[in-house]
Amino acid sequence: MTSLAILGALGTLIGLVRAMPQLVLLLRTRHAYGVSVDTAATSSLVSFGWATYGLWTNQFYVSLATGASGVVFAIITVLALRFGRRVREFAIAPVWLVVLLLAAGLGGTTGLGMILPVSVLAANVPQLWVASREGNLADVSLGTWLLSMADGLVWGLYTLIQPDMAIMIFAGLQLATSGVIVAMKLAHMLRLSRQPA
């Protein structure tokens, strides 16, 4: 098995399970404190965009990982709405749907390759915004965001072997923004641990 195949398989595995901790946490707690429904919806759209890009560029691992992730993020979106988030919180997702459709329709692979790398910002910035505004991050899954960091790291390594500027930029932005969200969640957990019982 080549290094590329190993990284592709690892990236696929992370993509398949990355959002699962958030899904499980929502199902267990049945509320969505601190969870950005806009991030979940935008992540779903972006994942499906990457799945399309992977198909168009013959990168099976990219398509499989992101397609599965897109389905899980769509389910998280529905559950977050069911467990307390509001439709009016959608700000980026509707805009980004139009952006992705225009990029794919007008530019094909090149258009998607140009817009998808920055899509991680469209997906993750709403979670940063919600996390900074809401004091209660109880239902934000540390596991999902640690896996998102691993996702960025693995796909970054993948592009060192299989050069693809779109995936490389995505990987760097995914690692950076997910790292900030992890830091915010850890700070929240530390504050809770210091509170008297």
Side-chain angles (χ1 to χ4, degrees), residues 3-60:
S3 298
L4 186 64
I6 291 168
L7 286 170
L10 183 57
T12 300
L13 179 62
I14 292 170
L16 291 171
V17 301
R18 172 171 78 102
M20 291 305 289
Q22 184 64 71
L23 177 62
V24 169
L25 185 60
L26 287 174
L27 288 169
R28 192 182 48 156
T29 64
R30 306 193 73 75
H31 42 74
Y33 298 123
V35 175
S36 170
V37 70
D38 203 17
T39 284
T42 307
S43 293
S44 181
L45 295 171
V46 170
S47 293
F48 290 129
W50 277 111
T52 303
Y53 180 82
L55 284 174
W56 289 354
T57 59
N58 298 313
Q59 296 183 76
F60 172 74

Side-chain angles (χ1 to χ4, degrees), residues 49-59 62 100-117 164-167:
W50 277 111
T52 303
Y53 180 82
L55 284 174
W56 289 354
T57 59
N58 298 313
Q59 296 183 76
V62 173
L100 289 171
L101 290 174
L102 286 173
L106 298 175
T109 302
T110 303
L112 277 179
M114 290 173 58
I115 201 67
L116 282 171
D164 187 308
M165 188 58 71
I167 296 173

Side-chain angles (χ1 to χ4, degrees), residues 68-159:
S69 183
V71 170
V72 177
F73 275 116
I75 295 168
I76 289 169
T77 301
V78 170
L79 290 176
L81 288 169
R82 185 164 184 248
F83 297 146
R85 303 315 298 196
R86 302 283 181 252
V87 171
R88 70 174 180 262
E89 295 177 45
F90 289 122
I92 302 296
V95 172
W96 216 251
L97 174 60
V98 172
V99 168
L100 289 171
L101 290 174
L102 286 173
L106 298 175
T109 302
T110 303
L112 277 179
M114 290 173 58
I115 201 67
L116 282 171
V118 297
S119 290
V120 71
L121 294 176
N124 290 356
V125 166
Q127 183 59 63
L128 288 167
W129 177 254
V130 169
S132 68
R133 291 184 60 214
E134 295 184 14
N136 186 353
L137 302 181
D139 296 318
V140 174
S141 169
L142 180 61
T144 284
W145 292 103
L146 286 170
L147 286 169
S148 292
M149 287 179 66
D151 185 51
L153 182 62
V154 167
W155 288 114
L157 293 172
Y158 177 91
T159 62

